[in-house]
Amino acid sequence: MATTELELTGMTCASCANRIERKLNKLDGVSASVNYATETARVDFPDSVSTADLIGAVEAAGYGASLPAAADQPPAPDAVDELRHRLVVSTLLSIPVIALAMVPPWQFTNWQWLSLTLAAPVVVWGGAQFHRAAWVNARHGATTMDTLVSVGTLAAFGWSVYALFWGDAGRPGMTHPFSFAVERAHDSSAIYLEAAVGVTTFLLAGRFIESRSKRSAGAALRALLDLGAKDVAVLRDAPDGQRHEERVGIETLVVGDVFVVRPGEKIATDGVVVDGASAVDAALLTGESVPVDVGPGAAVVGATANVGGRLVVRATRVGAETQLAQMARLVAEAQHGKAQVQRLADRISGVFVPVVIGLAVATLGFWLGLGEEPSAAFTAAVAVLIIACPCALGLATPTALMVGTGRGAQLGILLKGPEILEATRMVDVVVLDKTGTVTTGVMAVSLVQPVEGVSPDEVVRLAAAVEQASEHPIAAAIVRIEPERLAAVTEFVSTPGVGVRGIVEGAVVEVRRAEAATQGTTVDVLRDGTRIGSIVVTDEVKPTSGEAIAGLRRLGLRPVLLTGDNEAAARSVAADVGIGVDDVISGVLPAGKVAVVKRLQAEGNVVAMVGDGVNDAAALAQADLGIAMGTGSDVAIEASDLTLVRGDLRVAVDAIRLSRRTLGIIRGNLFWAFAYNVAGLPLAAAGLLNPMLAGGAMALSSVFVVLNSQRLRGFRSSVG
């Protein structure tokens, strides 16, 4: 079996993705998963099936497919930019059409012909994607909301053209009264251009918002790969027998190459230290808050940071075999495995759209059969289409989303798209990364334990004096509490994995790792070989984390602490914030975090993941709801569904509350959008609801949806 990824075009809703997936899976031996959000298909296929067969199957379903473009090929035109252009132009043209139709005093002589001139490009060009999608669906015997949008707008526009050219609407001096009379129409003087352009423009706005949120779906992988070093100083043998450094691109590295990593640089690839000693900060990849001391023979990972001395490393894995590349694959697989959430309007449209179209045709036939005038019969049929035309449906999701996301941005919450709202309603377990999420991610002294007869100040003063010559983060934490009265140190020596020593005020002072740690990293301080005390350095718990955990519990959620840090440190943090011992999972690598999320999901839980590091990216993508701390890495932010800009865990509580509230508003909007329209269908079919009244009802439902969405502006944060 081979695996490939196809880039798809032409999808307009989740039902399109399902249709492509079914078409691909009908091929012998093929297993396909189509991701509507990223507009890609991941396909496993046997040797008997070629990529051309796969592309042909997609095209046979009415959509486009291609293999991923090479890096040196120019990017395809941006669909979001095209949508923006259509939306802006359609909006500018629609405003005067709607204003003239709804405000009779503004209807000057021959105003209707200006309206036709402005409306034509909106309906034909602006709504082209709806008409195209409706045609593709019709060819395959299917209907979606695109079908109703296309049929409704074209019917309203077509009737208006008929009334202008062959009816009474085109005469000079004609006015268009906005009447709500319930009576059967018998003339052809009414035009409905405002309904045609209004529906088109509102639906374009909704499609633009959706497409803009989908555009960044693949950015997590790009951001993840960008973490690695771009070039590296490789040691090459020269003719004079000496080794010289040569700066080369990272892509030229091969297994066995020896390269140099200076303090502050990223390690270019996975390897083994052959010379030098330093501390390596691997927090982004492993979640370990304390940098690891390394020396000759120690394994190091690409993209981690050298925060100490000069290292010489021999490459053991390069390219796709590195841990960084493997994490990128984990993110990609998790994104493809995420369940597709179909919008409520799309699900209902499977029945609603064909019923409405059938009802409109039946209405036309019924009145013609009774001998009514063609104008009256056609007016009734058009009224059916217009009263059912989903203007409010098009507004239901994007208006609530715009207000909700706007309010969220004010509170430090970035919501990426409406598809994640369903997950927030069902979440029952919240998995929390430790470092940088529950804790600050910065090492600090938490406890000083002097021996009898020695003051805590003396222990700290001597330790800080000798540690001032070290670049290790533990040293920085100790020095920070004694910044102004540091004694001089001479004969400084640093031993990786052990500690430091030097002469301070004539005495030999040593600071070295203790044998065991209970709640953090413990170092012993010795003066002339005698231990005078210990200092415990920990990753500080954020002062608001305990309150945030309590808030999650009030929402009925179970918090779980998941970290790459050691068990003692993890349990200490959990105890501080109110998480039980049974809900602490420690010493977990990135792949293990994904496995934990999958296990919780397999147990029937709907899982939210809160994290901030690269090591959390794959788990954030795998979770039903990914929440990233905005103070963390770009990769975590891109892989998540929600981003907490303020870095305060309490905002996660607000994020879930706001998401649930927004979802509730959307559901209410959808219900009333259908209720207004469905209630008018019997009147329209009976010929008692002229299209103008139908347009008014449609406008009223739209106004209600907008006003209902504005309620989200009053959402109050639990953070002071």
Side-chain angles (χ1 to χ4, degrees), residues 694-717:
M698 184 184 69
L700 184 59
S701 67
S702 299
V703 171
F704 173 83
V705 163
V706 172
L707 293 178
N708 191 43
S709 299
Q710 295 299 318
R711 294 167 53 208
L712 288 168
R713 295 188 183 277
F715 178 85
R716 292 184 177 274
S717 171

Side-chain angles (χ1 to χ4, degrees), residues 48-71:
S48 58
V49 177
S50 66
T51 54
D53 295 331
L54 301 176
I55 293 174
V58 175
E59 292 176 344
Y63 305 91
S66 63
L67 295 174

Side-chain angles (χ1 to χ4, degrees), residues 450-526:
V451 299
E452 187 176 354
V454 180
S455 70
D457 286 346
E458 180 70 2
V459 175
V460 172
R461 189 180 70 82
L462 293 176
V466 71
E467 290 282 24
Q468 66 181 301
S470 173
E471 298 175 325
H472 199 285
I474 291 178
I478 295 174
V479 171
R480 271 199 300 272
I481 63 174
E482 285 287 315
E484 297 180 355
R485 51 193 183 110
L486 294 174
V489 59
T490 59
E491 300 182 24
F492 175 81
V493 178
S494 175
T495 304
V498 177
V500 296
R501 61 176 291 175
I503 305 297
V504 179
E505 299 175 346
V508 178
V509 177
E510 298 175 74
V511 180
R512 59 191 186 192
R513 289 283 184 102
E515 292 297 323
T518 57
Q519 55 181 328
T521 300
T522 303
V523 295
D524 290 332
V525 183
L526 296 87

